[in-house]
């Protein structure tokens, strides 16, 4: 009599499946179950993220003042914005804030990360100190710096000056940038540290054995391997910069040339009740940030 034997691997696979389930049928049932569990989160995401975004695109083509029905105006809101001096000034204020704040913040974070990428005693505590401002809300940080930047505040006493940091068109933008650098450095510092700790030590040791000094190891080993992290940091820096709102509101109220794009959108929508124009600004900023991010990624990939 011939005996039929089943391979041990097949037997284990067959036993691993639920009883009475075929291969494709079980996979289909598993996918359905996964979709059912994910459905509540997808519904919430669509309701509170996708729908509002689509609604903003729609409202940008209407004249809507919150009290009357929307009136179709097509691209008139966009045409108005391109000729509006206040919008152009707020765009310039946002660009100034991004460049002056996040350029030095990213560079300083990289330098500090290189210095703190050690196992010396106390280095973890120093990292915590740098990250503490990041964990503090922007409103709290702005209130603290409002006290520091007063005419009789700590900064003027330290520098032995009497500068009107928060009431001058010359100094107000720089005052907000100083406060923002203090807060944001720790955020990028942690990201750079994570990237540095993932660089294999063998490469550094091999370069050192080949006679490369610390600067050459930094240029030819560390920075090239850190480039993916640098891309992420630069993209996040631009986005975070254009999303700024709280420091300008708390420190200056948007006066003295510090009315950035988000504050302009807020005032246009709720102070002037021009939801259509505010939505048009949001759409323009979405397109601008998309283009800037794309250019950054392309430029850094070509240099890789």
């Amino acid at each position: 009599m011939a005996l039929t034997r089943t391979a041990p691997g097949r037997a284990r696979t067959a036993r691993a499946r639920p009883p009475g389930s075929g291969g494709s049928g079980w996979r289909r049932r598993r996918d359905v179950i996964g979709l059912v569990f994910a459905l509540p989160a997808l519904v919430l995401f669509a309701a509170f993220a996708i729908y509002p975004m689509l609604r903003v695109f729609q409202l940008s083509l209407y004249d809507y003042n919150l009290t009357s029905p929307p009136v179709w105006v097509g691209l008139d809101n966009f045409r108005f914005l391109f000729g509006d001096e206040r919008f152009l000034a707020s765009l310039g204020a946002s660009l100034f804030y991004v460049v002056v704040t996040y350029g030095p913040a990213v560079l300083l974070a990289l330098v500090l990360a290189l210095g703190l990428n050690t196992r010396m005693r106390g280095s973890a505590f120093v990292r915590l100190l740098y990250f503490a401002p990041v964990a503090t809300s922007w409103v709290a940080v702005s209130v603290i710096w409002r006290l520091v930047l007063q005419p009789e505040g700590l900064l003027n006493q330290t520098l032995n000056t009497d500068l009107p940091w928060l009431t001058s068109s010359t100094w107000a933008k720089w005052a907000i940038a100083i406060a923002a650098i203090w807060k944001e450095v720790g955020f990028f510092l942690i990201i750079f540290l994570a990237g540095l700790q993932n660089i294999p030590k063998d490469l550094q040791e091999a370069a050192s054995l080949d006679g490369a000094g610390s600067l050459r190891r930094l240029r030819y080993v560390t920075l090239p391997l850190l480039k993916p992290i640098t891309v992420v940091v630069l993209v996040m820096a631009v986005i975070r910069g254009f999303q700024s709102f709280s420091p300008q509101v708390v420190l200056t109220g948007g006066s003295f040339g510090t009315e950035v794009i988000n504050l302009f959108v807020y005032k246009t929508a709720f102070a002037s009740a021009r939801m259509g124009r505010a939505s048009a600004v949001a759409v323009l900023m979405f397109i601008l940030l998309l283009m800037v991010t794309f250019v950054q990624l392309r430029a850094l990939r070509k240099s890789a």
Side-chain angles (χ1 to χ4, degrees):
M1 175 181 283
L3 296 177
T4 303
R5 295 184 178 179
T6 304
R10 293 182 180 176
R12 284 195 297 270
T13 304
R15 285 195 299 268
R17 293 174 183 163
S21 63
S24 60
W26 166 244
R27 284 194 295 270
R28 190 178 300 110
R29 192 177 301 114
R30 181 189 60 188
D31 294 342
V32 171
I33 294 173
L35 179 61
V36 169
F37 278 106
L39 192 58
L42 293 175
V43 170
L44 290 174
F45 180 75
F48 294 102
I50 302 299
Y51 172 74
M53 183 174 65
L54 297 177
R55 182 67 171 158
V56 165
F57 275 85
Q58 180 188 14
L59 285 178
S60 67
L61 303 175
Y62 287 82
D63 182 15
Y64 180 44
N65 60 6
L66 295 175
T67 57
S68 304
V71 177
W72 171 267
V73 294
L75 298 177
D76 286 352
N77 288 326
F78 297 94
R79 297 190 188 98
F80 174 83
L81 289 174
F82 285 122
D84 184 20
E85 294 183 1
R86 185 181 166 194
F87 166 72
L88 297 176
S90 66
L91 181 60
S94 291
L95 290 172
F96 178 89
Y97 177 78
V98 170
V99 173
V100 174
T101 298
Y102 287 90
V106 169
L107 183 60
L108 184 58
L110 177 59
V111 173
L112 291 173
L114 292 170
L116 292 173
N117 187 32
T118 63
R119 296 188 180 275
M120 293 176 56
R121 179 177 297 181
S123 60
F125 179 71
V126 175
R127 297 173 195 172
L128 179 62
L129 289 180
Y130 278 109
F131 190 74
V134 181
T136 308
S137 71
W138 251 121
V139 174
V141 169
S142 300
V143 170
I144 293 171
W145 275 93
R146 188 175 180 85
L147 297 175
V148 173
L149 295 168
Q150 291 295 320
E152 300 83 14
L154 180 62
L155 185 59
N156 275 338
Q157 292 180 11
T158 302
L159 299 177
N160 195 23
T161 58
D162 189 22
L163 296 176
W165 290 102
L166 300 177
T167 56
S168 166
S169 299
T170 302
W171 297 107
K173 296 183 289 188
W174 293 97
I176 294 176
I178 293 171
I181 291 172
W182 179 82
K183 185 180 188 321
E184 297 286 75
V185 163
F187 178 78
F188 300 117
L189 169 64
I190 296 300
I191 298 176
F192 277 128
L193 272 174
L196 288 171
Q197 292 174 358
N198 285 327
I199 295 177
K201 300 295 182 183
D202 298 342
L203 297 178
Q204 299 281 2
E205 294 173 357
S208 180
L209 291 174
D210 288 340
S214 57
L215 290 178
R216 292 179 67 85
R217 291 199 305 271
L218 174 65
R219 179 179 178 182
Y220 295 107
V221 178
T222 303
L223 293 182
L225 293 176
L226 203 61
K227 189 162 291 184
I229 299 297
T230 306
V231 172
V232 174
V233 166
L234 291 177
V235 171
M236 293 182 69
V238 172
I239 294 175
R240 289 171 72 90
F242 277 102
Q243 287 179 337
S244 181
F245 176 81
S246 298
Q248 287 80 9
V249 172
V250 177
L251 291 174
T252 62
S255 303
F256 308 107
T258 62
E259 186 181 69
V260 290
I261 283 292
N262 274 1
L263 186 53
F264 174 79
V265 170
Y266 173 80
K267 290 182 177 180
T268 302
F270 299 106
S272 303
R274 304 305 296 263
M275 296 296 295
R277 289 179 184 173
S279 299
V281 177
V283 171
L284 288 176
M285 293 311 302
F286 173 79
I287 296 173
L288 176 63
L289 289 178
L290 198 64
M291 293 172 58
V292 169
T293 302
F294 177 76
V295 170
Q296 283 180 309
L297 293 174
R298 286 292 300 273
L300 289 169
R301 283 177 183 172
K302 286 183 178 180
S303 63

